[in-house]
């Protein structure tokens, strides 16, 4: 007797086991994961993912940027597949759940449907997006940016990491520059499960976030050129101190974000002194910076404020400052129907939920520009992410996967298996 879709639930243990099984690829002694995009560890998890999808009866294709698409047939193959998934690359000191939960929950949804003998009306497609993190290669959400033509594929392939390795060369090195054209796999919509990476759901004791909006993002690369000289014998008035200038920029970014609190955040995440030495005045520094806000007007104000401050510092200090905007993503507004399906699925499952704005960036941000898309959040411990301490509970991961399952059954159609009764 086939289980009616209305009381279908994922196998929480199996999902949890896959999260820990894949955490081996790049696992760190502190319990985190270092699986940089297109690294050997990324190849290992991609190979694992491909095998698991094929074992679940899916047809896997890989596009030129390494985006992986695993399609499950539906009753009506004239309909476009509904997309679910996330990413498997991590930050250098990342955790086991960021991106991984959404990709493996999508696989668990398929495994659950297989076990129940349920064929959805529309096909399904699990996606593993290349380089969501943007840590090794900038910008973030790179594979999905290529998919929606937000960045030209040739531009993306030419982007290099700190060692000068290009995306194209890294794809070739791990054998994931696939034959499929970028954007060829069309989708009817996209739904991504992800840990919140913030403190709200845990603080409110709610297991589900219905993500309706996402922050706009600006990324900068900067370089400050001063002059290296003796830290002891160079009079203060003659110094061309690049780090002192950067320090003013760091504090200016913090002040600009605070001035627009609580709807803005700003960070300098990287700063590299070219030839560091404790008794040499820093003469050259490369740095990266970013702003994020849900409000397009505030995004413009933050950018204008920083540009003006940099000009003022460069006019006052004897250093040269270069600030390049390398990426700008407008605020995201997700599809009300897809977000509604998430809320209805949570209600059906008796799970408390609340509408949310995503602070972090996600591939769904790009998907929302070309198709109906939304996200599901679940809590993570202390709201911590992009840190080896990142953690979540099996119950919350399963709850999120069940909401994904039932939202997908509503959106792709459960093939007459009783969903919604
Ligand atoms: O930057 C982000 O928000 C994402 O983690 N790549
Ligand atoms: Mn992520
Ligand atoms: Mn991340």
């Amino acid at each position: 007797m086939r289980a009616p879709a209305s009381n279908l639930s994922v196998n929480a243990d199996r999902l949890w086991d896959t999260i820990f099984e894949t955490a081996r690829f790049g696992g760190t002694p502190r319990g985190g994961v270092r699986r940089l995009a297109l690294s050997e560890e990324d190849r290992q998890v991609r190979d694992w993912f491909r095998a698991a999808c094929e074992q679940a009866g899916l047809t896997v294709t890989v596009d030129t940027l390494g985006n992986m698409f695993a399609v499950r047939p539906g009753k009506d193959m004239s309909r476009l597949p509904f997309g679910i998934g996330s990413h498997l690359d991590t930050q250098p000191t990342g955790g086991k759940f960021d991106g991984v939960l959404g990709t493996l929950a999508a696989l668990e949804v398929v495994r659950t449907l297989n076990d129940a003998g349920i064929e959805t009306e529309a096909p399904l497609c699990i996606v593993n997006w290349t380089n969501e993190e943007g840590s090794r290669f900038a910008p973030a959400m790179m594979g999905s940016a290529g998919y929606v033509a937000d960045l030209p594929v040739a531009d993306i392939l030419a982007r290099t990491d700190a060692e000068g390795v290009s995306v194209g060369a890294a794809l070739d090195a791990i054998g994931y520059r696939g034959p499929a054209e970028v954007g060829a796999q069309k989708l009817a919509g996209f739904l991504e499960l992800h840990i919140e990476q913030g403190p709200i759901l845990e603080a409110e004791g709610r297991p589900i976030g219905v993500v309706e909006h996402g922050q706009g993002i600006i990324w900068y690369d900067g370089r400050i050129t001063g002059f290296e000289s003796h830290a002891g014998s160079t009079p203060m008035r003659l110094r061309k101190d690049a780090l002192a200038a950067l320090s003013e920029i760091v504090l200016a970014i913090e002040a600009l974000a605070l001035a627009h609190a609580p709807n803005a955040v700003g960070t300098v995440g990287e700063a590299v002194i070219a030839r560091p030495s404790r008794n040499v005045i820093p003469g050259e520094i490369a740095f990266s910076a970013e702003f994020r806000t849900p409000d397009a007007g505030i995004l413009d104000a933050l950018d204008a404020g920083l540009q003006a401050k940099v000009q003022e510092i460069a006019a006052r200090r004897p250093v040269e400052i270069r600030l390049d905007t390398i990426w700008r993503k407008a605020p995201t507004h997700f599809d009300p129907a897809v977000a509604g399906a998430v809320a209805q699925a949570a209600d059906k499952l008796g799970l408390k939920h609340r509408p949310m704005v995503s602070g972090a960036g996600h591939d769904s941000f790009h998907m929302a520009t070309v198709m109906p898309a939304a996200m599901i959040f679940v809590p993570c411990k202390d709201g911590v992410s992009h840190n080896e301490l990142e953690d979540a509970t099996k119950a919350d991961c399963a709850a999120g996967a069940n909401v994904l399952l039932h939202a997908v059954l509503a959106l792709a159609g459960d093939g007459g298996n009783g969903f919604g009764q």
Side-chain angles (χ1 to χ4, degrees):
M1 161 63 179
R2 203 186 331 233
S6 51
N7 61 10
L8 207 54
S9 68
V10 299
N11 182 325
D13 291 336
R14 181 170 59 190
L15 171 59
W16 195 248
D17 290 347
T18 54
I19 290 170
F20 280 76
E21 185 180 351
T22 53
R24 288 181 296 121
F25 305 124
T28 63
R30 292 182 65 208
V33 181
R34 176 186 175 81
R35 195 160 64 220
L36 295 182
L38 307 182
S39 62
E40 169 56 16
E41 295 77 15
D42 192 15
R43 182 194 63 75
Q44 291 166 7
V45 79
R46 285 166 171 268
D47 290 351
W48 178 95
F49 175 69
R50 179 202 291 270
C53 287
E54 288 171 347
Q55 210 167 25
L58 306 180
T59 305
V60 179
T61 58
V62 181
D63 74 14
T64 309
L65 294 179
N67 295 314
M68 301 175 77
F69 301 91
V71 176
R72 181 180 196 256
K75 282 189 176 350
D76 180 355
M77 291 304 281
S78 70
R79 289 177 58 174
L80 288 176
F82 192 85
I84 51 179
S86 189
H87 62 93
L88 292 171
D89 66 304
T90 75
Q91 287 287 324
T93 51
K96 294 187 275 289
F97 298 90
D98 176 358
V100 174
L101 173 60
T103 311
L104 299 186
L107 174 62
E108 178 53 35
V109 163
V110 164
R111 287 172 163 175
T112 300
L113 293 173
N114 288 348
D115 294 347
I118 290 177
E119 188 179 28
T120 50
E121 209 60 43
L124 300 181
C125 181
I126 304 179
V127 188
N128 169 33
W129 295 110
T130 291
N131 186 28
E132 187 283 339
E133 292 296 353
S135 176
R136 181 183 176 192
F137 300 103
M141 298 111 84
M142 184 180 257
S144 53
Y147 178 86
V148 302
D150 188 57
L151 281 176
V153 171
D155 176 342
I156 290 174
L157 289 170
R159 295 283 173 112
T160 55
D161 65 9
E163 277 69 52
V165 176
S166 70
V167 168
L171 282 163
D172 293 336
I174 64 168
Y176 272 92
R177 189 197 297 236
E181 188 195 335
V182 177
Q185 176 60 64
K186 302 302 178 198
L187 300 172
F190 193 75
L191 181 55
E192 179 175 5
L193 169 62
H194 206 287
I195 52 170
E196 177 197 341
Q197 300 177 297
I200 297 170
L201 290 174
E202 185 183 57
E204 294 184 2
R206 293 176 201 269
I208 300 295
V210 181
V211 188
E212 297 177 335
H213 304 281
Q215 290 202 111
I217 305 170
I218 296 184
W219 275 15
Y220 304 95
D221 273 351
R223 183 172 295 279
I224 302 178
T225 309
F227 188 75
E228 277 132 32
S229 60
H230 199 297
S233 53
T234 309
M236 291 305 287
R237 61 186 170 76
L238 297 181
R239 294 181 176 212
K240 300 180 179 179
D241 188 330
L243 183 55
L246 178 59
S247 308
E248 285 202 58
I249 291 173
V250 171
L251 293 175
I253 287 173
E254 183 183 56
L256 283 160
L258 290 171
H260 293 280
N263 290 324
V265 290
T267 314
V268 171
E270 295 166 306
V272 180
I273 297 173
R275 292 163 290 280
S277 171
R278 67 176 62 247
N279 47 6
V280 173
I281 297 164
E284 185 179 342
I285 290 188
F287 67 96
S288 67
E290 64 157 65
F291 282 120
R292 302 194 194 201
T293 170
D295 182 304
I298 293 177
L299 199 60
D300 291 339
L302 291 165
D303 183 31
L306 178 59
Q307 301 290 354
K309 185 64 182 173
V310 163
Q311 277 182 9
E312 186 273 321
I313 294 167
R316 177 167 38 87
R317 286 180 174 270
V319 295
E320 265 176 48
I321 305 177
R322 186 187 162 122
L323 187 70
D324 297 322
T325 303
I326 64 164
W327 182 41
R328 184 189 180 106
K329 184 86 188 70
T332 296
H333 304 292
F334 285 120
D335 180 87
V338 180
V342 172
Q344 283 148 30
D347 287 338
K348 182 174 167 302
L349 296 163
L351 295 168
K352 285 194 290 179
H353 57 88
R354 55 157 289 163
M356 298 192 80
V357 176
S358 176
H362 302 284
D363 296 303
S364 296
F365 286 23
H366 283 310
M367 304 309 279
T369 64
V370 296
M371 63 181 71
M375 295 186 72
I376 307 162
F377 274 174
V378 293
C380 55
K381 190 169 181 318
D382 303 328
V384 167
S385 182
H386 285 196
N387 182 311
E388 292 173 293
L389 299 176
E390 180 184 279
D391 200 3
T393 67
K394 184 192 293 190
D396 285 341
C397 290
N402 278 320
V403 170
L404 180 67
L405 169 66
H406 286 275
V408 161
L409 282 168
L411 293 162
D414 70 359
N417 286 283
F419 177 73
Q421 281 170 1

